[in-house]
Amino acid sequence: MKKLYTSFLLLIVALSYGQSVVITTVADGTLYMAGCNSTSGQNIHPRFVELYVSGTVNLFGYRLELDPNGTADNGTWSNNYVFLSGTYTDEFVYIVNVPYIQGQPTPTQVDIFLEMYPNLNTDNIIFSSYGPNFNGNDAVRIAQYQGTGQNATLIGVIDQFGNPNDVASSNSYNFAWAFADGYAKRINGTPANGGNFVNSTFTYSGNDALDNLDCAAFKAAVNIGTYNTTASAKDFDTIAGLKMYPNPLSGKTLYISSDTGMEKTVSVYDVLGKQVLRGKTNNETLNVAALTAGVYIVKITEAGKTATRKLIVK
């Protein structure tokens, strides 16, 4: 059983850090019209999202989606999305907004991004008028779908930046992630969150950090391609003071506590690796009435930190 548990722990590591897509940088700024060689008498708003593809992932069926203005837009993900494609291995991909003027793309926006980051492989850049056309308080996410067009079915959310429920209007900038003319960068080693955004997994520039810069200053401020992750079993035991009891369990309630007392996301897997339960703690408790007798692996996530425990249910 110990060998099985160890093997499954490594499987959890692979799932979280191995083959995944992580949002690593989100940037929304303003360049004054004489700030770059490519400008043409108008202020430019460079907006882009940097992704890191961990392992080898075919992005067919993946989308970058935008939720503008949070609850002001009923908290729903809009039709502003970008289809992703291509197969990538341990590399960065950039989705860059290119607005349309009178039905035509503005080449200036393309030229400026390439002027700021000339060493990027253009095969790793997606220029799109649909997204990420955001202001700093718009949430974005990576989602995977099955099928195409209107009949596509959401399989799941891979990663998300921002929480639409934090934003009451288009002028709401009351949370660290909701910035105006700024940027956010993922903390190294924090994996994709499955749609459960945690503020502390990013660092933030604050408002106006990218306001009226030139190309050189923008590039210096937003240093791209810096995220890295090194997964190991010790990364999965980083929640201070974590306790899970009773174990063995014979009732319907599992208690999970830590030094912070924060809400935790809990996923429970059987010994074959199938997820059989997922939920959030409520007052440090989790209802596990759906579990039958057996041995399980419990993955616990709190503020971007993850731990695993073996659970025996009688």
Side-chain angles (χ1 to χ4, degrees):
M1 182 57 69
K2 182 177 180 181
K3 182 177 180 181
L4 179 60
Y5 169 71
T6 302
S7 299
F8 190 69
L9 175 60
L10 294 176
L11 174 61
I12 294 290
V13 172
L15 289 173
S16 297
Y17 287 92
Q19 296 175 321
S20 188
V21 183
V22 186
I23 298 171
T24 52
T25 301
V26 178
D28 165 38
T30 300
L31 300 175
Y32 61 85
M33 58 187 180
C36 305
N37 295 331
S38 305
T39 51
S40 56
Q42 60 181 334
N43 282 348
I44 301 297
H45 300 278
R47 296 164 176 162
F48 69 89
V49 173
E50 176 191 75
L51 309 177
Y52 182 70
V53 179
S54 179
T56 300
V57 180
N58 182 345
L59 294 182
F60 179 79
Y62 287 72
R63 299 180 186 178
L64 175 75
E65 299 182 315
L66 169 71
D67 185 290
N69 303 329
T71 55
D73 190 38
N74 298 317
T76 58
W77 297 93
S78 75
N79 290 325
N80 292 326
Y81 57 83
V82 180
F83 290 112
L84 306 181
S85 62
T87 300
Y88 301 90
T89 301
D90 296 331
E91 55 193 310
F92 292 95
V93 178
Y94 298 87
I95 300 92
V96 182
N97 176 244
V98 181
Y100 271 51
I101 297 178
Q102 296 180 346
Q104 297 296 320
T106 55
T108 301
Q109 204 84 339
V110 175
D111 294 339
I112 284 179
F113 186 80
L114 295 177
E115 181 179 337
M116 292 191 293
Y117 304 108
N119 296 324
L120 290 179
N121 184 343
T122 54
D123 290 340
N124 291 52
I125 306 174
I126 300 172
F127 293 104
S128 173
S129 63
Y130 292 98
N133 185 20
F134 52 70
N135 293 314
N137 62 354
D138 298 335
V140 294
R141 73 181 188 182
I142 299 296
Q144 186 178 13
Y145 286 80
Q146 184 176 25
T148 59
Q150 297 297 322
N151 296 323
T153 302
L154 177 65
I155 297 175
V157 177
I158 309 302
D159 198 20
Q160 181 172 316
F161 173 79
N163 182 356
N165 293 325
D166 291 341
V167 181
S169 71
S170 60
N171 295 317
S172 294
Y173 296 98
N174 299 323
F175 289 80
W177 71 268
F179 51 77
D181 287 334
Y183 63 92
K185 291 183 70 65
R186 192 69 165 253
I187 294 175
N188 287 338
T190 56
N193 57 37
N196 299 305
F197 172 70
V198 178
N199 263 298
S200 61
T201 57
F202 283 81
T203 60
Y204 306 93
S205 68
N207 291 330
D208 300 325
L210 300 179
D211 188 28
N212 286 322
L213 302 181
D214 59 22
C215 270
F218 190 104
K219 178 182 178 180
V222 188
N223 188 15
I224 63 174
T226 60
Y227 174 84
N228 67 78
T229 176
T230 53
S232 65
K234 65 181 179 63
D235 294 322
F236 279 73
D237 196 18
T238 58
I239 300 176
L242 180 65
K243 297 179 181 178
M244 185 186 76
Y245 60 94
N247 191 11
L249 174 69
S250 57
K252 299 180 180 180
T253 302
L254 184 65
Y255 293 85
I256 303 174
S257 63
S258 68
D259 288 350
T260 66
M262 294 175 62
E263 180 185 72
K264 299 164 183 59
T265 300
V266 182
S267 299
V268 181
Y269 301 84
D270 64 20
V271 294
L272 297 178
K274 179 182 178 182
Q275 181 175 290
V276 293
L277 180 66
R278 180 179 173 85
K280 295 180 181 293
T281 56
N282 180 15
N283 294 325
E284 299 189 337
T285 66
L286 182 72
N287 187 330
V288 293
L291 297 181
T292 58
V295 178
Y296 299 90
I297 301 300
V298 182
K299 178 185 173 185
I300 305 163
T301 302
E302 174 193 272
K305 298 179 179 180
T306 303
T308 59
R309 294 290 186 269
K310 180 173 69 173
L311 174 66
I312 299 174
V313 177
K314 291 185 175 181

